[in-house]
Amino acid sequence: MTDSLEVAPGIAARLRAATDTAHQAAESTTYVTALIGGKLTVEGYALLVTQHYFIYEVLESAAETMRDDPVAGPFVADELTRLPALVEDLEFLHGPQWRDQARAGTATEAYRERLREVCFTWPAGFVAHHYTRYLGDLSGGAIVGKAIRDTYAFPAGRGTRFYEFDGITSRGRFKREYRERLDALRLGPDEFDRMAGEAVVAFDLNRAVFTELAQAAGPYLRPAGEQAA
């Protein structure tokens, strides 16, 4: 027996509740703590930028595929596109030949494979991954971006373009409208549970990337006297 469709006004809140533990685990990893705390050199920060590039390369390819889908399409917004900003950041951090040295880590490759499996054919699965990345970029990403700018004192507009959303005049309003789109989804209980489960998978994959980055960043810890206050 199939689930009866329901307009679920609480989907955004329910999705947040369902992913809270996984979300908190991803945010509290050693690498994120070190980055925000100013404990990494520029090279240690650049490791994250490179992995972000490989993740968003697949996710934003899926967004083009899903642009006209009735379920996933409303979430595809050009203002969110991060890939050009990541290219700018990598060119600043590594120079024009950055592609020659850029490599996806093992955890990033696993993340990319999951995106390929899910986001090109399952609209609610695409939404799950889209939600975990872009709402995070607009929320906690603002804190991370400020911490990075404070630590490294990059020239204005350089090195942290990923965290800047020039096309969004009010992050608060954009996030509110995004959550309204979530609440407007017509999902049966089983499909919501499946989508929420996929969002948890997304957070877990992201945490695995951070765990791997923590290992790779070992040589890039700043001396205690040089760390940000």
Side-chain angles (χ1 to χ4, degrees):
M1 181 176 179
T2 59
D3 296 318
S4 60
L5 292 179
E6 60 178 10
V7 177
I11 278 183
R14 289 160 56 203
L15 187 58
R16 180 174 181 174
T19 58
D20 184 63
T21 299
H23 188 181
Q24 294 300 321
E27 286 188 338
S28 60
T29 57
T30 301
Y31 179 85
V32 174
T33 302
L35 180 64
I36 295 176
K39 297 179 180 179
L40 297 176
T41 63
V42 171
E43 292 81 4
Y45 160 59
L47 295 172
L48 173 63
V49 182
T50 300
Q51 301 315 303
H52 273 163
Y53 172 82
F54 286 111
I55 292 166
Y56 283 85
E57 183 181 43
V58 179
L59 182 59
E60 293 184 355
S61 177
E64 289 307 310
T65 299
M66 288 291 181
R67 186 177 289 272
D68 297 324
D69 183 86
V71 173
F75 295 89
V76 178
D78 292 335
E79 307 97 296
L80 293 174
T81 302
R82 297 292 84 203
L83 208 57
L86 286 164
V87 170
E88 287 186 44
D89 289 342
L90 287 166
E91 288 178 344
F92 171 74
L93 293 166
H94 290 303
Q97 305 304 316
W98 65 270
R99 293 178 191 271
D100 294 341
Q101 55 183 304
R103 299 290 184 273
T106 301
T108 299
E109 283 294 358
Y111 199 158
R112 282 161 57 89
E113 184 58 30
R114 185 67 177 192
L115 292 171
R116 294 188 192 101
E117 290 174 359
V118 168
C119 293
F120 290 82
T121 56
W122 175 28
F126 169 81
V127 173
H129 283 274
H130 194 275
Y131 163 82
T132 61
R133 293 248 50 112
Y134 294 108
L135 276 198
D137 297 338
L138 289 168
S139 300
I143 298 171
V144 175
K146 182 181 184 304
I148 293 169
R149 286 188 290 271
D150 290 346
T151 298
Y152 304 114
F154 293 143
R158 307 302 302 275
T160 56
R161 291 288 295 147
F162 173 78
Y163 300 98
E164 300 165 13
F165 291 82
D166 297 337
I168 296 177
T169 56
S170 170
R171 293 192 185 204
R173 182 173 66 247
F174 191 96
K175 290 188 292 183
R176 182 174 64 253
E177 293 171 350
Y178 190 103
R179 293 184 182 106
E180 289 171 354
R181 294 187 193 103
L182 286 172
D183 287 342
L185 289 172
R186 297 178 61 83
L187 301 176
D190 286 351
E191 183 67 356
F192 169 79
D193 288 345
R194 187 179 175 215
M195 181 179 75
E198 189 62 32
V200 170
V201 168
F203 278 120
D204 288 346
L205 288 165
N206 193 44
R207 179 162 54 89
V209 171
F210 287 143
T211 298
E212 191 167 81
L213 282 172
Q215 297 171 348
Y220 303 114
L221 289 172
R222 301 172 74 180
E226 297 180 8
Q227 293 174 16

